[in-house]
Amino acid sequence: MAVLLTGGAGFIGSHTCVELLAAGRDVVVADNFSNSKPVVLDRIRKISGRDFVFYETDLRDADGLRRIFAENDIDAVIHFAGLKAVGESVAKPLYYYSHNLTVTFELCKAMREAGCGVMVFSSSATVYGQNGKMPLGEDSPLGPTTNPYGETKLMQERIITDLQRAGELRSAVLLRYFNPIGAHPSGLIGEDPNGIPNNLLPYISQVAVGKLPYVKVYGNDYPTRDGTGVRDYIHVVDLARAHLKALDYAARKSCVRAFNIGTGTGYSVLDVIKAFRDASGKKVPYRTVHRRPGDVAECYADPSLAAHELRWKAEYGLSRMCEDAYRWQSMNPRGYEEQ
Ligand code: UFG
């Protein structure tokens, strides 16, 4: 029996693949490298000392998906594949809605045909509405979302929920990630954004290695301790391990359930810059600029449901997240591009 990882060559997918292989699970990865590089597959093999099956395929292709299920004995799917750049989704909404939803429709059809009834879905804290009280519990109001990317996550949660309730999936777990950062401690796999990073951590990392001159801090007039935005950063290895717990849960239960995956602690932009400086010993110059449209002051999780039901808890703190992110960035200053 194998687990299929759609988008398994991406940042979170690759770390989850490593943890599954380490746990002795058989893995099938499907990815079209739209936001990842083939070399990541060798890095996963190097870290784990194990092999896995790989398909280079666009998951909107029904025949390609059918073939994957026909050629492998897949009993569960972890569904990561999807476009995820917030700004791009605002500029190209049709592309985002069409791509992300088509992948999920085709995947669910292929699972139904193959009799595979277990899904763990890569969702996001972005599904919660803007005015939710912190910390966010799973029962906090959903939507309205602030961008098409976020809306596709909410829509996919709904689609998967309806399928489970109609008996088309036996069990589904929706993992609502907060802000995944860090990298595998080997320094062999990590986050490799295309172009100038949008997210804080890859941006800070590139400043620390001298690729970018300074961090732009988006606003210092939020109603937070130091005026900068507060988020719940989660080490990607902790996040990857949550997927294994979610698979165990889905195997035990027949239900659909959402879980927050965060540490429960909020850190400000300035906290993160300081932690990164301390972890790397590098200078991280910054300048305060205007707020970024669409940002909220604070977003952090109540992760107690995951602790109770999934038996999962984050192990790593912010300094370890920064240490591992810096190791990855300094060992791979050009990401996965040939050095
Ligand atoms: N920030 C900066 N400078 C930067 C980038 C970010 O000051 O160059 C600040 C932001 O204003 C925010 C914090 O750093 O306060 C975190 O920003 P990120 O862009 O790293 O992350 P977001 O919280 O905006 O968004 C992330 C994911 C989304 C996901 C969301 C879930 O990128 O995909 O968390 O809440 F939807």
Side-chain angles (χ1 to χ4, degrees), residues 84 86 124-126 149 177-179 198-201 203 215-218 229-231 233 269 292 295-296 299:
K84 60 162 198 170
V86 172
S124 166
T126 196
Y149 153 74
Y177 312 156
F178 280 69
N179 289 56
N198 294 311
N199 296 119
L200 182 63
L201 242 288
Y203 205 104
V215 179
K216 290 182 210 146
V217 175
Y218 294 138
V230 166
R231 297 290 183 276
Y233 296 92
V269 176
R292 184 171 64 176
D295 275 351
V296 293
C299 179

PDB file of all heavy atoms in Angstrom, residues 84 86 124-126 149 177-179 198-201 203 215-218 229-231 233 269 292 295-296 299, ligand 1:
ATOM      1  N   LYS A  84      -0.219  28.783  -5.504  1.00  0.00           N
ATOM      2  CA  LYS A  84      -0.336  29.320  -4.141  1.00  0.00           C
ATOM      3  C   LYS A  84       0.164  30.743  -3.945  1.00  0.00           C
ATOM      4  O   LYS A  84       0.346  31.174  -2.804  1.00  0.00           O
ATOM      5  CB  LYS A  84       0.385  28.385  -3.179  1.00  0.00           C
ATOM      6  CG  LYS A  84       1.853  28.225  -3.506  1.00  0.00           C
ATOM      7  CD  LYS A  84       2.632  27.684  -2.342  1.00  0.00           C
ATOM      8  CE  LYS A  84       4.099  27.945  -2.558  1.00  0.00           C
ATOM      9  NZ  LYS A  84       4.930  27.695  -1.430  1.00  0.00           N
ATOM     10  N   VAL A  86      -0.397  34.440  -3.565  1.00  0.00           N
ATOM     11  CA  VAL A  86      -1.554  35.290  -3.283  1.00  0.00           C
ATOM     12  C   VAL A  86      -1.695  36.409  -4.325  1.00  0.00           C
ATOM     13  O   VAL A  86      -2.761  36.601  -4.918  1.00  0.00           O
ATOM     14  CB  VAL A  86      -1.420  35.874  -1.856  1.00  0.00           C
ATOM     15  CG1 VAL A  86      -2.489  36.916  -1.587  1.00  0.00           C
ATOM     16  CG2 VAL A  86      -1.466  34.765  -0.815  1.00  0.00           C
ATOM     17  N   SER A 124      -5.230  25.947   4.534  1.00  0.00           N
ATOM     18  CA  SER A 124      -4.471  27.106   5.007  1.00  0.00           C
ATOM     19  C   SER A 124      -5.308  27.906   5.994  1.00  0.00           C
ATOM     20  O   SER A 124      -6.544  27.952   5.885  1.00  0.00           O
ATOM     21  CB  SER A 124      -4.154  27.979   3.794  1.00  0.00           C
ATOM     22  OG  SER A 124      -3.714  29.250   4.203  1.00  0.00           O
ATOM     23  N   ALA A 125      -4.609  28.592   6.885  1.00  0.00           N
ATOM     24  CA  ALA A 125      -5.288  29.489   7.818  1.00  0.00           C
ATOM     25  C   ALA A 125      -5.987  30.630   7.081  1.00  0.00           C
ATOM     26  O   ALA A 125      -6.824  31.320   7.655  1.00  0.00           O
ATOM     27  CB  ALA A 125      -4.280  30.070   8.797  1.00  0.00           C
ATOM     28  N   THR A 126      -5.655  30.786   5.805  1.00  0.00           N
ATOM     29  CA  THR A 126      -6.275  31.836   4.999  1.00  0.00           C
ATOM     30  C   THR A 126      -7.790  31.617   4.826  1.00  0.00           C
ATOM     31  O   THR A 126      -8.501  32.539   4.426  1.00  0.00           O
ATOM     32  CB  THR A 126      -5.548  31.924   3.638  1.00  0.00           C
ATOM     33  OG1 THR A 126      -5.864  33.129   3.017  1.00  0.00           O
ATOM     34  CG2 THR A 126      -5.891  30.781   2.721  1.00  0.00           C
ATOM     35  N   TYR A 149      -6.703  32.850  -4.360  1.00  0.00           N
ATOM     36  CA  TYR A 149      -5.976  31.676  -3.847  1.00  0.00           C
ATOM     37  C   TYR A 149      -6.667  31.149  -2.584  1.00  0.00           C
ATOM     38  O   TYR A 149      -6.964  29.954  -2.464  1.00  0.00           O
ATOM     39  CB  TYR A 149      -4.511  32.047  -3.551  1.00  0.00           C
ATOM     40  CG  TYR A 149      -3.895  31.181  -2.490  1.00  0.00           C
ATOM     41  CD1 TYR A 149      -3.536  29.861  -2.764  1.00  0.00           C
ATOM     42  CD2 TYR A 149      -3.711  31.662  -1.181  1.00  0.00           C
ATOM     43  CE1 TYR A 149      -3.005  29.052  -1.760  1.00  0.00           C
ATOM     44  CE2 TYR A 149      -3.190  30.863  -0.187  1.00  0.00           C
ATOM     45  CZ  TYR A 149      -2.840  29.561  -0.481  1.00  0.00           C
ATOM     46  OH  TYR A 149      -2.339  28.768   0.509  1.00  0.00           O
ATOM     47  N   TYR A 177      -2.753  25.029   7.555  1.00  0.00           N
ATOM     48  CA  TYR A 177      -1.398  25.430   7.921  1.00  0.00           C
ATOM     49  C   TYR A 177      -1.375  26.911   8.270  1.00  0.00           C
ATOM     50  O   TYR A 177      -1.976  27.720   7.570  1.00  0.00           O
ATOM     51  CB  TYR A 177      -0.421  25.278   6.760  1.00  0.00           C
ATOM     52  CG  TYR A 177      -0.413  23.986   5.994  1.00  0.00           C
ATOM     53  CD1 TYR A 177       0.066  23.976   4.683  1.00  0.00           C
ATOM     54  CD2 TYR A 177      -0.828  22.777   6.554  1.00  0.00           C
ATOM     55  CE1 TYR A 177       0.127  22.810   3.945  1.00  0.00           C
ATOM     56  CE2 TYR A 177      -0.776  21.602   5.814  1.00  0.00           C
ATOM     57  CZ  TYR A 177      -0.305  21.626   4.507  1.00  0.00           C
ATOM     58  OH  TYR A 177      -0.245  20.478   3.767  1.00  0.00           O
ATOM     59  N   PHE A 178      -0.562  27.249   9.261  1.00  0.00           N
ATOM     60  CA  PHE A 178      -0.291  28.658   9.522  1.00  0.00           C
ATOM     61  C   PHE A 178       0.926  29.055   8.662  1.00  0.00           C
ATOM     62  O   PHE A 178       0.826  28.914   7.449  1.00  0.00           O
ATOM     63  CB  PHE A 178      -0.247  28.910  11.037  1.00  0.00           C
ATOM     64  CG  PHE A 178      -1.672  29.016  11.554  1.00  0.00           C
ATOM     65  CD1 PHE A 178      -2.496  27.887  11.580  1.00  0.00           C
ATOM     66  CD2 PHE A 178      -2.226  30.225  11.879  1.00  0.00           C
ATOM     67  CE1 PHE A 178      -3.847  27.984  11.949  1.00  0.00           C
ATOM     68  CE2 PHE A 178      -3.560  30.332  12.262  1.00  0.00           C
ATOM     69  CZ  PHE A 178      -4.369  29.214  12.289  1.00  0.00           C
ATOM     70  N   ASN A 179       2.028  29.538   9.199  1.00  0.00           N
ATOM     71  CA  ASN A 179       3.102  30.005   8.296  1.00  0.00           C
ATOM     72  C   ASN A 179       4.301  29.047   8.317  1.00  0.00           C
ATOM     73  O   ASN A 179       5.165  29.152   9.189  1.00  0.00           O
ATOM     74  CB  ASN A 179       3.547  31.410   8.710  1.00  0.00           C
ATOM     75  CG  ASN A 179       2.504  32.463   8.392  1.00  0.00           C
ATOM     76  OD1 ASN A 179       1.356  32.367   8.827  1.00  0.00           O
ATOM     77  ND2 ASN A 179       2.876  33.462   7.618  1.00  0.00           N
ATOM     78  N   ASN A 198       7.931  36.379  -1.945  1.00  0.00           N
ATOM     79  CA  ASN A 198       6.808  37.152  -1.404  1.00  0.00           C
ATOM     80  C   ASN A 198       6.738  37.015   0.101  1.00  0.00           C
ATOM     81  O   ASN A 198       6.259  37.896   0.794  1.00  0.00           O
ATOM     82  CB  ASN A 198       5.477  36.607  -1.953  1.00  0.00           C
ATOM     83  CG  ASN A 198       5.355  36.820  -3.432  1.00  0.00           C
ATOM     84  OD1 ASN A 198       5.584  37.919  -3.918  1.00  0.00           O
ATOM     85  ND2 ASN A 198       5.028  35.765  -4.166  1.00  0.00           N
ATOM     86  N   ASN A 199       7.163  35.862   0.594  1.00  0.00           N
ATOM     87  CA  ASN A 199       6.997  35.568   2.023  1.00  0.00           C
ATOM     88  C   ASN A 199       8.208  36.029   2.827  1.00  0.00           C
ATOM     89  O   ASN A 199       9.316  36.157   2.310  1.00  0.00           O
ATOM     90  CB  ASN A 199       6.747  34.075   2.226  1.00  0.00           C
ATOM     91  CG  ASN A 199       5.448  33.638   1.586  1.00  0.00           C
ATOM     92  OD1 ASN A 199       5.446  32.805   0.690  1.00  0.00           O
ATOM     93  ND2 ASN A 199       4.345  34.221   2.000  1.00  0.00           N
ATOM     94  N   LEU A 200       7.949  36.253   4.111  1.00  0.00           N
ATOM     95  CA  LEU A 200       8.959  36.886   4.958  1.00  0.00           C
ATOM     96  C   LEU A 200      10.246  36.067   5.089  1.00  0.00           C
ATOM     97  O   LEU A 200      11.344  36.607   4.915  1.00  0.00           O
ATOM     98  CB  LEU A 200       8.355  37.132   6.352  1.00  0.00           C
ATOM     99  CG  LEU A 200       9.284  37.836   7.328  1.00  0.00           C
ATOM    100  CD1 LEU A 200       9.644  39.238   6.848  1.00  0.00           C
ATOM    101  CD2 LEU A 200       8.645  37.905   8.719  1.00  0.00           C
ATOM    102  N   LEU A 201      10.132  34.789   5.406  1.00  0.00           N
ATOM    103  CA  LEU A 201      11.346  34.031   5.722  1.00  0.00           C
ATOM    104  C   LEU A 201      12.308  33.865   4.557  1.00  0.00           C
ATOM    105  O   LEU A 201      13.498  34.132   4.691  1.00  0.00           O
ATOM    106  CB  LEU A 201      10.977  32.682   6.345  1.00  0.00           C
ATOM    107  CG  LEU A 201      11.502  32.534   7.755  1.00  0.00           C
ATOM    108  CD1 LEU A 201      13.014  32.340   7.806  1.00  0.00           C
ATOM    109  CD2 LEU A 201      11.128  33.730   8.633  1.00  0.00           C
ATOM    110  N   TYR A 203      12.604  35.804   2.168  1.00  0.00           N
ATOM    111  CA  TYR A 203      13.142  37.148   1.910  1.00  0.00           C
ATOM    112  C   TYR A 203      14.291  37.436   2.885  1.00  0.00           C
ATOM    113  O   TYR A 203      15.381  37.850   2.481  1.00  0.00           O
ATOM    114  CB  TYR A 203      12.029  38.200   2.049  1.00  0.00           C
ATOM    115  CG  TYR A 203      12.319  39.446   1.239  1.00  0.00           C
ATOM    116  CD1 TYR A 203      11.665  39.684   0.043  1.00  0.00           C
ATOM    117  CD2 TYR A 203      13.284  40.364   1.655  1.00  0.00           C
ATOM    118  CE1 TYR A 203      11.946  40.809  -0.720  1.00  0.00           C
ATOM    119  CE2 TYR A 203      13.576  41.491   0.907  1.00  0.00           C
ATOM    120  CZ  TYR A 203      12.895  41.706  -0.276  1.00  0.00           C
ATOM    121  OH  TYR A 203      13.184  42.815  -1.030  1.00  0.00           O
ATOM    122  N   VAL A 215      15.434  43.929   4.197  1.00  0.00           N
ATOM    123  CA  VAL A 215      14.051  43.456   4.311  1.00  0.00           C
ATOM    124  C   VAL A 215      13.141  44.674   4.352  1.00  0.00           C
ATOM    125  O   VAL A 215      13.437  45.658   5.043  1.00  0.00           O
ATOM    126  CB  VAL A 215      13.861  42.638   5.614  1.00  0.00           C
ATOM    127  CG1 VAL A 215      12.412  42.161   5.752  1.00  0.00           C
ATOM    128  CG2 VAL A 215      14.818  41.456   5.672  1.00  0.00           C
ATOM    129  N   LYS A 216      12.051  44.593   3.601  1.00  0.00           N
ATOM    130  CA  LYS A 216      11.029  45.644   3.710  1.00  0.00           C
ATOM    131  C   LYS A 216      10.026  45.177   4.747  1.00  0.00           C
ATOM    132  O   LYS A 216       9.353  44.153   4.538  1.00  0.00           O
ATOM    133  CB  LYS A 216      10.308  45.826   2.374  1.00  0.00           C
ATOM    134  CG  LYS A 216      11.178  46.450   1.312  1.00  0.00           C
ATOM    135  CD  LYS A 216      10.357  46.633   0.044  1.00  0.00           C
ATOM    136  CE  LYS A 216      11.267  46.526  -1.144  1.00  0.00           C
ATOM    137  NZ  LYS A 216      10.671  45.921  -2.308  1.00  0.00           N
ATOM    138  N   VAL A 217       9.927  45.897   5.833  1.00  0.00           N
ATOM    139  CA  VAL A 217       8.949  45.550   6.873  1.00  0.00           C
ATOM    140  C   VAL A 217       7.652  46.275   6.511  1.00  0.00           C
ATOM    141  O   VAL A 217       7.611  47.513   6.478  1.00  0.00           O
ATOM    142  CB  VAL A 217       9.451  45.974   8.266  1.00  0.00           C
ATOM    143  CG1 VAL A 217       8.366  45.725   9.316  1.00  0.00           C
ATOM    144  CG2 VAL A 217      10.732  45.221   8.616  1.00  0.00           C
ATOM    145  N   TYR A 218       6.615  45.481   6.233  1.00  0.00           N
ATOM    146  CA  TYR A 218       5.363  46.066   5.741  1.00  0.00           C
ATOM    147  C   TYR A 218       4.521  46.626   6.876  1.00  0.00           C
ATOM    148  O   TYR A 218       3.587  45.979   7.344  1.00  0.00           O
ATOM    149  CB  TYR A 218       4.556  45.020   4.973  1.00  0.00           C
ATOM    150  CG  TYR A 218       5.194  44.550   3.691  1.00  0.00           C
ATOM    151  CD1 TYR A 218       5.172  43.192   3.338  1.00  0.00           C
ATOM    152  CD2 TYR A 218       5.818  45.436   2.819  1.00  0.00           C
ATOM    153  CE1 TYR A 218       5.743  42.755   2.152  1.00  0.00           C
ATOM    154  CE2 TYR A 218       6.399  44.996   1.643  1.00  0.00           C
ATOM    155  CZ  TYR A 218       6.354  43.669   1.322  1.00  0.00           C
ATOM    156  OH  TYR A 218       6.922  43.227   0.159  1.00  0.00           O
ATOM    157  N   GLY A 229       3.422  43.051  11.925  1.00  0.00           N
ATOM    158  CA  GLY A 229       2.462  41.943  11.828  1.00  0.00           C
ATOM    159  C   GLY A 229       2.913  40.714  12.608  1.00  0.00           C
ATOM    160  O   GLY A 229       4.105  40.374  12.617  1.00  0.00           O
ATOM    161  N   VAL A 230       1.946  40.050  13.224  1.00  0.00           N
ATOM    162  CA  VAL A 230       2.238  38.869  14.045  1.00  0.00           C
ATOM    163  C   VAL A 230       1.667  37.617  13.361  1.00  0.00           C
ATOM    164  O   VAL A 230       0.512  37.615  12.932  1.00  0.00           O
ATOM    165  CB  VAL A 230       1.634  39.054  15.453  1.00  0.00           C
ATOM    166  CG1 VAL A 230       1.603  37.742  16.232  1.00  0.00           C
ATOM    167  CG2 VAL A 230       2.419  40.109  16.226  1.00  0.00           C
ATOM    168  N   ARG A 231       2.511  36.573  13.260  1.00  0.00           N
ATOM    169  CA  ARG A 231       2.080  35.319  12.630  1.00  0.00           C
ATOM    170  C   ARG A 231       2.534  34.131  13.468  1.00  0.00           C
ATOM    171  O   ARG A 231       3.463  34.227  14.261  1.00  0.00           O
ATOM    172  CB  ARG A 231       2.702  35.175  11.222  1.00  0.00           C
ATOM    173  CG  ARG A 231       2.278  36.233  10.217  1.00  0.00           C
ATOM    174  CD  ARG A 231       0.825  36.068   9.808  1.00  0.00           C
ATOM    175  NE  ARG A 231       0.446  37.036   8.797  1.00  0.00           N
ATOM    176  CZ  ARG A 231       0.053  38.283   9.049  1.00  0.00           C
ATOM    177  NH1 ARG A 231      -0.020  38.728  10.295  1.00  0.00           N
ATOM    178  NH2 ARG A 231      -0.274  39.104   8.059  1.00  0.00           N
ATOM    179  N   TYR A 233       4.450  31.029  13.106  1.00  0.00           N
ATOM    180  CA  TYR A 233       5.391  30.319  12.220  1.00  0.00           C
ATOM    181  C   TYR A 233       5.561  28.892  12.721  1.00  0.00           C
ATOM    182  O   TYR A 233       5.646  28.651  13.916  1.00  0.00           O
ATOM    183  CB  TYR A 233       6.736  31.059  12.187  1.00  0.00           C
ATOM    184  CG  TYR A 233       6.587  32.440  11.588  1.00  0.00           C
ATOM    185  CD1 TYR A 233       6.345  33.549  12.399  1.00  0.00           C
ATOM    186  CD2 TYR A 233       6.616  32.629  10.211  1.00  0.00           C
ATOM    187  CE1 TYR A 233       6.152  34.812  11.855  1.00  0.00           C
ATOM    188  CE2 TYR A 233       6.432  33.886   9.655  1.00  0.00           C
ATOM    189  CZ  TYR A 233       6.201  34.966  10.482  1.00  0.00           C
ATOM    190  OH  TYR A 233       6.007  36.210   9.934  1.00  0.00           O
ATOM    191  N   VAL A 269       7.169  40.561  12.926  1.00  0.00           N
ATOM    192  CA  VAL A 269       8.201  40.611  11.878  1.00  0.00           C
ATOM    193  C   VAL A 269       9.551  40.932  12.526  1.00  0.00           C
ATOM    194  O   VAL A 269      10.576  40.308  12.194  1.00  0.00           O
ATOM    195  CB  VAL A 269       7.836  41.668  10.806  1.00  0.00           C
ATOM    196  CG1 VAL A 269       8.938  41.797   9.774  1.00  0.00           C
ATOM    197  CG2 VAL A 269       6.511  41.312  10.130  1.00  0.00           C
ATOM    198  N   ARG A 292       1.303  46.171   3.524  1.00  0.00           N
ATOM    199  CA  ARG A 292       0.981  45.446   2.288  1.00  0.00           C
ATOM    200  C   ARG A 292      -0.533  45.243   2.262  1.00  0.00           C
ATOM    201  O   ARG A 292      -1.109  44.755   3.235  1.00  0.00           O
ATOM    202  CB  ARG A 292       1.709  44.097   2.315  1.00  0.00           C
ATOM    203  CG  ARG A 292       1.554  43.275   1.060  1.00  0.00           C
ATOM    204  CD  ARG A 292       2.470  42.063   1.083  1.00  0.00           C
ATOM    205  NE  ARG A 292       2.160  41.119   2.151  1.00  0.00           N
ATOM    206  CZ  ARG A 292       2.769  39.954   2.323  1.00  0.00           C
ATOM    207  NH1 ARG A 292       3.750  39.602   1.491  1.00  0.00           N
ATOM    208  NH2 ARG A 292       2.432  39.155   3.305  1.00  0.00           N
ATOM    209  N   ASP A 295      -2.987  42.465   4.266  1.00  0.00           N
ATOM    210  CA  ASP A 295      -2.403  41.862   5.466  1.00  0.00           C
ATOM    211  C   ASP A 295      -3.252  42.152   6.696  1.00  0.00           C
ATOM    212  O   ASP A 295      -3.838  43.234   6.820  1.00  0.00           O
ATOM    213  CB  ASP A 295      -0.987  42.410   5.712  1.00  0.00           C
ATOM    214  CG  ASP A 295       0.071  41.657   4.925  1.00  0.00           C
ATOM    215  OD1 ASP A 295      -0.262  40.615   4.329  1.00  0.00           O
ATOM    216  OD2 ASP A 295       1.228  42.106   4.921  1.00  0.00           O
ATOM    217  N   VAL A 296      -3.263  41.204   7.620  1.00  0.00           N
ATOM    218  CA  VAL A 296      -3.941  41.432   8.900  1.00  0.00           C
ATOM    219  C   VAL A 296      -2.873  41.669   9.967  1.00  0.00           C
ATOM    220  O   VAL A 296      -1.709  41.341   9.772  1.00  0.00           O
ATOM    221  CB  VAL A 296      -4.840  40.232   9.305  1.00  0.00           C
ATOM    222  CG1 VAL A 296      -6.004  40.101   8.354  1.00  0.00           C
ATOM    223  CG2 VAL A 296      -4.042  38.944   9.395  1.00  0.00           C
ATOM    224  N   CYS A 299      -2.293  36.801  13.274  1.00  0.00           N
ATOM    225  CA  CYS A 299      -2.918  35.531  12.888  1.00  0.00           C
ATOM    226  C   CYS A 299      -2.161  34.410  13.586  1.00  0.00           C
ATOM    227  O   CYS A 299      -0.998  34.158  13.269  1.00  0.00           O
ATOM    228  CB  CYS A 299      -2.853  35.369  11.364  1.00  0.00           C
ATOM    229  SG  CYS A 299      -3.564  33.819  10.778  1.00  0.00           S
TER     230      CYS A 299
HETATM  231  N1  UFG B   1       6.252  40.680   5.634  1.00  0.00           N
HETATM  232  C1  UFG B   1       7.132  41.760   5.612  1.00  0.00           C
HETATM  233  N2  UFG B   1       8.017  41.843   4.576  1.00  0.00           N
HETATM  234  C2  UFG B   1       8.071  40.905   3.572  1.00  0.00           C
HETATM  235  C3  UFG B   1       7.153  39.825   3.600  1.00  0.00           C
HETATM  236  C4  UFG B   1       6.257  39.748   4.649  1.00  0.00           C
HETATM  237  O1  UFG B   1       7.122  42.621   6.503  1.00  0.00           O
HETATM  238  O2  UFG B   1       8.893  41.041   2.655  1.00  0.00           O
HETATM  239  C5  UFG B   1       5.323  40.552   6.781  1.00  0.00           C
HETATM  240  C6  UFG B   1       3.847  40.535   6.394  1.00  0.00           C
HETATM  241  O3  UFG B   1       3.344  41.843   6.350  1.00  0.00           O
HETATM  242  C7  UFG B   1       3.271  39.663   7.525  1.00  0.00           C
HETATM  243  C8  UFG B   1       4.384  38.680   7.851  1.00  0.00           C
HETATM  244  O4  UFG B   1       5.578  39.294   7.371  1.00  0.00           O
HETATM  245  O5  UFG B   1       3.035  40.458   8.655  1.00  0.00           O
HETATM  246  C9  UFG B   1       4.218  37.313   7.183  1.00  0.00           C
HETATM  247  O6  UFG B   1       4.033  37.488   5.789  1.00  0.00           O
HETATM  248  P1  UFG B   1       4.156  36.265   4.752  1.00  0.00           P
HETATM  249  O7  UFG B   1       4.015  36.837   3.384  1.00  0.00           O
HETATM  250  O8  UFG B   1       5.390  35.472   5.029  1.00  0.00           O
HETATM  251  O9  UFG B   1       2.926  35.331   5.130  1.00  0.00           O
HETATM  252  P2  UFG B   1       1.359  35.672   5.215  1.00  0.00           P
HETATM  253  O10 UFG B   1       0.983  35.516   6.648  1.00  0.00           O
HETATM  254  O11 UFG B   1       1.016  36.915   4.547  1.00  0.00           O
HETATM  255  O12 UFG B   1       0.730  34.519   4.305  1.00  0.00           O
HETATM  256  C10 UFG B   1       0.988  33.165   4.563  1.00  0.00           C
HETATM  257  C11 UFG B   1       1.032  32.406   3.250  1.00  0.00           C
HETATM  258  C12 UFG B   1      -0.311  32.362   2.592  1.00  0.00           C
HETATM  259  C13 UFG B   1      -1.336  31.846   3.549  1.00  0.00           C
HETATM  260  C14 UFG B   1      -1.325  32.639   4.835  1.00  0.00           C
HETATM  261  C15 UFG B   1      -2.202  31.936   5.829  1.00  0.00           C
HETATM  262  O13 UFG B   1       1.947  33.003   2.359  1.00  0.00           O
HETATM  263  O14 UFG B   1      -0.246  31.457   1.526  1.00  0.00           O
HETATM  264  O15 UFG B   1       0.000  32.671   5.391  1.00  0.00           O
HETATM  265  O16 UFG B   1      -2.587  32.762   6.829  1.00  0.00           O
HETATM  266  F1  UFG B   1      -2.545  31.965   2.985  1.00  0.00           F
END
